[in-house]
Amino acid sequence: LLSRGLGDVYKRQVLIQFIQSAGMGVGAIVGSFVIQFMVGAGAGYVLGKLAIRMLNKLNIDNQALYPILLLAFVFFTFSITDLLKGNGYLAVYIAGIMVGNNKIMHRKDIYTFMDGLTWLFQIIMFLLSDSDPPKGGLSDSFPMYRCSVSHFTRIHKRPNFV
């Protein structure tokens, strides 16, 4: 599982680096790649440790705020790493591994919230995966309407014998 997830991060970074490397020499591309990974890994480690310490030391009266705090910390980790010219995806991945493998308070509440959020975004991705964006862009029409029309036409375009 760990190697599979890390492979996704590397593939994404290589693709991004390839797209951004127009007009750069091979040495500059490799150097940029190494710097982004070093900064991303370092920021992920440091900010993961900070998240663990913060979740265990803070005393919030409402337990429902701990998952939201961790979600905000995910965005913080990505943003800070990106500002430092590092790989934000790798930083969030490493910070997530660190938080997930350490003892933190309110683990059950955080797990339930993140599991629900995961299901929500999987449903949204499924619904929008077959929608064709209109020529004017998605802002010109309601995306869920486009999605439902797309699924309806896909189902009813099939021949009757299928």
Side-chain angles (χ1 to χ4, degrees):
L1 178 66
L2 178 64
S3 64
R4 184 176 183 190
L6 281 176
D8 293 341
V9 173
Y10 288 127
K11 289 175 196 171
R12 182 179 299 118
Q13 183 60 31
V14 168
L15 177 64
I16 291 170
Q17 191 67 38
F18 179 73
I19 291 170
Q20 293 177 343
S21 65
M24 293 174 66
V26 175
I29 293 171
V30 171
S32 174
F33 185 78
V34 168
I35 289 171
Q36 287 182 22
F37 268 94
M38 298 294 283
V39 171
Y45 180 79
V46 169
L47 293 172
K49 286 287 191 187
L50 182 63
I52 294 165
R53 173 166 277 180
M54 181 182 60
L55 288 170
N56 288 332
K57 297 288 182 184
L58 283 179
N59 187 13
I60 302 174
D61 292 335
N62 189 351
Q63 290 181 348
L65 294 177
Y66 284 99
I68 296 169
L69 177 66
L70 185 59
L71 182 63
F73 207 82
V74 167
F75 291 119
F76 174 75
T77 300
F78 185 90
S79 300
I80 290 297
T81 306
D82 193 53
L83 284 174
L84 296 173
K85 304 296 184 208
N87 185 337
Y89 297 107
L90 181 63
V92 168
Y93 186 80
I94 290 174
I97 288 174
M98 293 184 61
V99 170
N101 289 328
N102 282 287
K103 291 184 179 186
I104 55 172
M105 295 180 63
H106 309 289
R107 177 182 289 279
K108 187 174 181 341
D109 296 329
I110 292 172
Y111 178 80
T112 303
F113 176 81
M114 294 298 179
D115 192 45
L117 201 62
T118 300
W119 273 103
L120 174 67
F121 282 109
Q122 284 180 357
I123 290 168
I124 290 171
M125 283 177 25
F126 172 75
L127 290 174
L128 295 178
S129 65
D130 193 39
S131 64
D132 298 325
K135 290 184 172 79
L138 286 176
S139 60
D140 294 341
S141 65
F142 189 61
M144 294 308 290
Y145 169 75
R146 293 285 301 161
C147 180
S148 61
V149 169
S150 175
H151 283 291
F152 177 81
T153 57
R154 186 180 65 169
I155 292 169
H156 293 293
K157 280 194 295 190
R158 295 187 307 193
N160 291 333
F161 59 85
V162 174

